[in-house]
Amino acid sequence: MNSKADAVRDSFPQLANIKNKEWVEKIIKIWVEVWDKSAWDGLHDCPYNSLAPEISLVEHVNQVVDGAVDLANQGKKFVGTKIDMDVLLAAGILHDVCKLVEYEPDSDGKAHKSDLGKRYQHGFYGAFKAEAEGFPMAVVQIIINHTISSNEIPNTPEALCIYYSDMCAADLARLDANAPLLVESHK
């Protein structure tokens, strides 16, 4: 296996909990392809957001996935919500893969929006790659709708778990950075 594929596998421990092993290989393939297209040398070099440059994209994705799993488990326990964990995990791990090409380092190594990041809605490129790999609409929909940039809203249990986990992770980072909170747009 090539070293980039190994790095992706090592970076996302929740891959081990996906039952559909074909999906695991497709997720790894997407991350490697997008990383190859990016300007980032290391997978952990890309920050999740320029407002919180100390948080890597990998750390953010793992935080969101673990939070979504916790939300899903609470939904199952208290409400009886049926959750397709493979859909939740695949979409969660892929939800921000596009940031590898939406951001690029400037001469100081800080992240700024790339041309692609300025031209495409956040989430589009990751959803495009997932659809090209044959992921079902349930996964693709979560990737494109996980963001407040989307015109559509998350409307499945798995999508809601990813959305709220992502928004919470983003607002925790924004709070730490003294930046405006996303939740303020809901008031």
Side-chain angles (χ1 to χ4, degrees):
M1 187 179 286
N2 84 35
S3 62
K4 282 191 172 183
D6 289 337
V8 171
R9 188 178 302 278
D10 292 344
S11 294
F12 301 109
Q14 288 282 8
L15 284 167
N17 294 323
I18 298 175
K19 292 179 181 149
N20 186 328
K21 296 310 172 194
E22 183 180 322
W23 282 16
V24 171
E25 296 310 313
K26 288 180 177 186
I27 291 166
I28 293 168
K29 179 181 178 192
I30 290 169
W31 270 94
V32 169
E33 286 177 357
V34 178
W35 184 9
D36 282 343
K37 186 178 172 95
S38 83
W40 302 100
D41 292 329
L43 188 59
H44 294 260
D45 294 343
C46 180
Y48 119 85
N49 188 300
S50 58
L51 289 173
E54 69 284 352
I55 302 171
S56 78
L57 175 59
V58 170
E59 291 170 320
H60 170 73
V61 168
N62 285 322
Q63 179 186 13
V64 170
V65 172
D66 288 353
V69 168
D70 290 344
L71 288 170
N73 287 334
Q74 294 302 312
K76 285 191 273 189
K77 178 178 177 180
F78 291 105
V79 187
T81 306
K82 291 182 181 4
I83 301 285
D84 184 325
M85 290 304 285
D86 274 7
V87 167
L88 181 123
L89 293 170
I93 295 168
L94 289 171
H95 86 280
D96 270 352
V97 66
C98 54
K99 286 191 176 185
L100 284 173
V101 291
E102 288 177 356
Y103 291 110
E104 60 190 12
D106 61 21
S107 58
D108 295 334
K110 295 181 181 178
H112 69 273
K113 285 260 186 162
S114 68
D115 245 7
L116 184 145
K118 292 175 187 173
R119 295 173 185 264
Y120 291 165
Q121 172 194 300
H122 172 57
F124 165 77
Y125 193 73
F128 167 78
K129 295 295 280 183
E131 184 168 73
E133 281 300 321
F135 277 96
M137 190 181 302
V139 171
V140 176
Q141 176 231 352
I142 294 169
I143 298 168
I144 197 72
N145 292 342
H146 83 274
T147 172
I148 59 172
S149 303
S150 178
N151 288 331
E152 301 300 321
I153 61 170
N155 60 7
T156 66
E158 299 83 5
L160 288 169
C161 290
I162 295 293
Y163 177 82
Y164 285 116
S165 181
D166 189 38
M167 292 302 105
C168 183
D171 272 351
L172 289 171
R174 286 169 169 267
L175 188 65
D176 190 57
N178 292 313
L181 301 179
L182 295 173
V183 73
E184 291 173 9
S185 67
H186 298 245
K187 296 286 180 190

